[in-house]
Amino acid sequence: MTVKIAPSILSADFARLAEEIKEVDKGGADYIHIDVMDGHFVPNITIGPLIVKAVRPHTNLPLDVHLMIENPDMYIQEFADAGADIISVHAEASRHLHRTIQLIKASGVKAGVVINPSTPVCMIEPVIADVDLVLLMTVNPGFGGQAFIESVLPKIEQVRELGGPELDVEVDGGVNRETALLCKKAGANVLVAGSAVFNKKDREAAIAEIRGTV
Ligand code: DX5
Ligand code: ZN
């Protein structure tokens, strides 16, 4: 199975965001991963719909928007209008997860659901058939550059088993050349990588390394 690579712009140089996105686009990225944090659900504040709208004209790659915010329902339409192609919400942040997923679909974009390392897969089992993507956090969300949590690996296998071959099973946090191998082996087909891509000068080589093609 060839994996898709989704560079997370959290580790990019925000003052040169358009150029950074063009570089990873040219370097073979499949998605652009955008980390939205509100300072409540996670202890960091990052990007809002304005930035999604600003980067939209600079790439044709799907914008994979990862919402780490409370009250996600309030902002879904805004992110869809700003140019998101996939919107993922944390199961821990939505009171009525099924409704939130339907809202994402009604906004015209693909729907994803995310769980933290300590959240069991059974929390999302009832909605797996409704989503296009399941994102498994392999760090506690909030910051780039953290260490991969290996105890999440059996959850990747579980989600692949439940979702079947068509589901996008994405992994986010601490992904590098070595941990990418473990994720692929467990059944993930979309790998998010922030520091492992943007902290390297040659983005094409970094992406190929994570994909496992060099
Ligand atoms: C963490 C974010 C990640 C982050 C990953 O909360 O969701 O997308 O950018 O960064 P690395 O790849 O450096 O762990
Ligand atoms: Zn993310």
Side-chain angles (χ1 to χ4, degrees):
M1 189 194 281
T2 45
V3 289
K4 296 177 204 164
I5 307 297
S8 159
I9 60 168
L10 190 61
S11 294
D13 177 353
F14 279 28
R16 301 177 50 250
L17 205 44
E19 288 97 318
E20 294 275 72
I21 286 172
K22 280 188 185 140
E23 270 185 33
V24 292
D25 185 333
K26 244 181 47 210
D30 299 281
Y31 295 160
I32 301 295
H33 185 83
I34 303 181
D35 288 305
V36 176
M37 306 187 189
D38 66 352
H40 294 273
F41 180 67
V42 288
N44 195 5
I45 304 176
T46 57
I47 289 166
L50 268 179
I51 305 292
V52 174
K53 192 171 174 196
V55 305
R56 182 64 286 180
H58 296 284
T59 179
N60 290 321
L61 292 177
L63 300 182
D64 173 29
V65 174
H66 175 192
L67 297 184
M68 285 159 274
I69 62 174
E70 284 178 6
N71 301 316
D73 297 18
M74 273 177 68
Y75 300 98
I76 286 165
Q77 193 61 53
E78 238 183 294
F79 280 102
D81 293 344
D85 296 279
I86 308 161
I87 296 179
S88 299
V89 289
H90 272 261
E92 303 88 354
S94 168
R95 259 200 203 137
H96 306 286
L97 187 55
H98 182 271
R99 177 187 289 150
T100 304
I101 289 162
Q102 302 313 313
L103 275 176
I104 299 175
K105 289 175 146 179
S107 77
V109 306
K110 288 190 173 174
V113 69
V114 195
I115 52 173
N116 284 330
S118 66
T119 303
V121 170
C122 63
M123 292 292 287
I124 56 165
E125 207 177 323
V127 296
I128 282 189
D130 294 308
V131 295
D132 302 287
L133 175 148
V134 170
L135 170 50
L136 294 164
M137 292 307 300
T138 37
V139 297
N140 290 298
F143 303 94
Q146 303 181 77
F148 185 86
I149 300 171
E150 287 211 13
S151 57
V152 178
L153 289 169
K155 296 205 297 182
I156 303 176
E157 287 177 21
Q158 255 179 292
V159 170
R160 174 56 72 206
E161 175 85 29
L162 285 168
E166 296 305 316
L167 182 73
D168 267 347
V169 180
E170 185 175 43
V171 168
D172 184 5
V175 173
N176 55 34
R177 181 188 203 124
E178 289 75 36
T179 56
L181 278 174
L182 304 174
C183 297
K184 281 186 268 181
K185 221 173 124 203
N189 72 312
V190 186
L191 307 178
V192 176
S195 46
V197 170
F198 284 103
N199 290 359
K200 298 238 171 86
K201 236 190 151 121
D202 185 342
R203 274 71 194 268
E204 188 174 358
I207 289 169
E209 246 184 42
I210 297 161
R211 208 193 300 276
T213 47
V214 286

